[in-house]
Amino acid sequence: MASDASPWPVPADAPAPDDLSRCVHCGLCVNACPTYAVTGLEAESPRGRIHLARAVDEGRIELTAAVQGHWDLCLQCRACEAVCPSGVPYGRIMEHVRAQVAADPPSGGRARAIRRFVLRNVIARPAVLALAVAPARWYAGSPVRAIVRRLGLAARLGRIGALEAQLPRHPGRPVRPGTRLAKPHTVTGRAVLFTGCVMGELFGGVHRATARVLARGGIAATAAPGQACCGALQAHDGDLAFARVLARRNIDALEGDDTTIVVNSAGCGAAMKEYGDLLKDDEAYAARAVAFATRVRDFAEFAATLPATAARLGARVTYQDPCHLAHAQHIRHEPRALLGRITGCEVVETAGGDMCCGAAGIYSLTQPQMSASLRARKAEQFRQHHPDIVVTANPGCQMQYEAAVREAGIEARVLHLAELIDEAQRNAR
Ligand code: SF4
Ligand code: SF4
């Protein structure tokens, strides 16, 4: 319920009027927006969503279920932010309007409460998450999966079936805080590998590949103990309070020196680079959060600074930019530069390579139709360009592309950039 003084249920986390008023309605963001591309509706564009937030902020309209629906459909991909000439901080605005919806949802309150419970008590609790994910890990590599697929059973299971299509083919053993990783012959530097939540459980193979690539560049990476989930999923869902709890945990666990924190999940890296903003009103943590954020590097950003290692892979590869790498962290060149170092690797660019794939954290569960539309657009591009390998740099995108190629019957492997580089480096030995 909004207070008398503020139209927002949680005034302390309300979108800042200064942020909202930066939008001059020029519309340059509209064609970059995936939900506008699919619907053609102004209300499903960044300009439309900001307009609604401003109208609520100024008390001209109420925060109704219809308004919530337009915000809920936003992927928080930040493609709009990247092209906005006025510097509208769209990602921050949307996290703050989501916090308002989460506090007093005009519709879908029960689903939201369940989601919050899971994000707090399963995703953010390593022991519980490990238990919850264990059956999926077993299933992903078991013969049962082939039988389920042959019989078409997954298609009858609705959202569970959609998740089945997204499961990695080979999750690898989990990498958790404290897990031992590959070490270099000669150590020239050190780094902390951020292990994350689902990433560590379902993409242990990516973490190990990351550590091997770093090791060949002389970097000893450790999965430092005590680190927690980054808080991105919770923040995007409007649970800023718990995202702050997780950010403080990571700062407590990983501060103390200036070791680089390498992150191979674009969504986590973007969130961690913005801890300073998330904790700006926390007296005890504000300065520490800013210092922490300066140590965070995406895998590609960091690997591109290391000496080149011989690498060979004869394959046609398409790199698909994760939104939180291209739009939030502005890292587009480094992944392509790393691919360019691989002998025999032919890189093909596809139309919309930097447009959201529809994964967007838990979006494929909350907005399955829009997510499927965006996935199908990607599949269409893959069909036109017939890559041998689809490469990306974020676990959610990787899962979405697994589903895209499978649904479209495309014979292409889906790899994380670190996996592809690791494979190419091993080929060249
Ligand atoms: S968000 Fe930026 S690009 Fe979009 S309409 Fe507003 S000022 Fe223009
Ligand atoms: S964040 Fe993405 S989906 Fe949301 S308005 Fe911006 S471009 Fe559109």
Side-chain angles (χ1 to χ4, degrees):
M1 190 68 69
S3 74
D4 289 345
S6 169
W8 300 106
V10 191
D13 272 332
D18 282 354
D19 287 350
L20 294 171
S21 64
R22 275 206 231 174
C23 177
V24 295
H25 316 296
C26 66
L28 287 174
C29 55
V30 166
N31 288 324
C33 174
T35 57
Y36 181 79
V38 171
T39 65
L41 297 173
E42 173 71 14
E44 306 302 356
S45 77
R47 182 173 61 182
R49 293 184 176 117
I50 293 168
H51 187 73
L52 289 172
R54 206 161 158 180
V56 173
D57 189 61
E58 292 169 358
R60 288 184 280 117
I61 62 171
E62 302 253 305
L63 202 176
T64 61
V67 171
Q68 177 190 336
H70 298 308
W71 293 339
D72 282 351
L73 199 64
C74 172
L75 295 136
Q76 295 179 280
C77 68
R78 295 168 66 173
C80 48
E81 190 173 307
V83 297
C84 173
S86 300
V88 173
Y90 184 88
R92 184 162 70 203
I93 292 173
M94 197 44 52
E95 277 185 0
H96 285 263
V97 301
R98 289 263 172 101
Q100 307 304 318
V101 171
D104 188 13
S107 77
R110 180 192 285 254
R112 189 170 287 277
I114 294 170
R115 216 157 64 217
R116 173 169 292 207
F117 179 86
V118 171
L119 288 173
R120 284 186 173 207
N121 297 294
V122 179
I123 298 294
R125 289 193 177 187
V128 181
L129 181 66
L131 272 180
V133 169
R137 288 177 34 74
W138 170 82
Y139 171 81
S142 81
V144 177
R145 189 174 197 186
I147 297 168
V148 166
R149 289 187 163 183
R150 208 173 311 127
L151 298 177
L153 295 178
R156 296 182 213 158
L157 293 174
R159 292 187 192 191
I160 302 283
L163 274 181
E164 196 279 339
Q166 293 182 331
L167 268 183
R169 292 178 207 195
H170 308 290
R173 282 172 295 124
V175 170
R176 299 168 181 142
T179 299
R180 288 165 68 92
L181 298 170
K183 291 280 173 271
H185 291 304
T186 308
V187 177
T188 57
R190 300 191 180 278
V192 169
L193 177 68
F194 183 72
T195 52
C197 52
V198 175
M199 182 87 196
E201 292 299 322
L202 281 180
F203 290 88
V206 174
H207 278 333
R208 288 194 166 81
T210 300
R212 285 192 294 269
V213 172
L214 296 183
R216 291 186 197 108
I219 303 298
T222 50
Q227 50 179 307
C229 164
C230 70
L233 292 176
Q234 294 80 0
H236 291 177
D237 199 47
D239 193 357
L240 289 175
F242 198 68
R244 290 183 182 115
V245 169
L246 294 171
R248 288 187 202 103
R249 262 184 219 164
N250 278 320
I251 293 168
D252 287 344
L254 301 180
E255 74 179 351
D257 59 30
D258 59 359
T259 317
T260 300
I261 300 164
V262 176
V263 187
N264 54 16
S265 157
C268 304
M272 293 163 75
K273 286 181 177 179
E274 292 173 359
Y275 275 179
D277 196 34
L278 185 67
L279 294 173
K280 69 180 184 330
D281 297 325
D282 184 326
E283 219 171 276
Y285 280 86
R288 292 163 65 189
V290 171
F292 179 94
T294 61
R295 294 167 52 207
V296 177
R297 295 282 181 283
D298 176 73
F299 162 73
E301 187 181 14
F302 187 64
T305 67
L306 301 178
T309 302
R312 188 177 61 242
L313 189 70
R316 193 172 158 83
V317 171
T318 183
Y319 173 71
Q320 301 291 304
D321 296 274
C323 299
H324 284 87
L325 204 53
H327 308 316
Q329 299 185 56
H330 311 293
I331 294 173
R332 293 168 180 267
H333 168 73
E334 292 86 341
R336 291 175 171 84
L338 289 168
L339 290 174
R341 291 181 183 177
I342 300 173
T343 306
C345 178
E346 180 194 357
V347 181
V348 286
E349 296 286 351
T350 67
D354 65 350
M355 185 171 266
C356 186
C357 63
I362 54 172
Y363 190 90
S364 61
L365 293 174
T366 58
Q367 304 288 343
Q369 283 182 333
M370 179 59 75
S371 178
S373 297
L374 294 169
R375 192 165 65 233
R377 291 166 79 101
K378 290 285 186 179
E380 182 50 36
Q381 285 298 316
F382 301 155
R383 213 179 271 117
Q384 284 183 30
H385 294 273
H386 44 88
D388 302 313
I389 305 174
V390 176
V391 184
T392 191
N394 188 60
C397 309
Q398 213 171 328
M399 292 171 82
Q400 184 80 329
Y401 293 131
E402 283 285 358
V405 296
R406 198 186 126 58
E407 284 169 359
I410 295 167
E411 292 288 327
R413 290 195 291 154
V414 178
L415 295 177
H416 189 285
L417 180 65
E419 291 179 298
L420 182 128
I421 294 172
D422 178 48
E423 186 177 323
Q425 290 179 344
R426 278 187 284 136
N427 284 346
R429 288 165 82 96

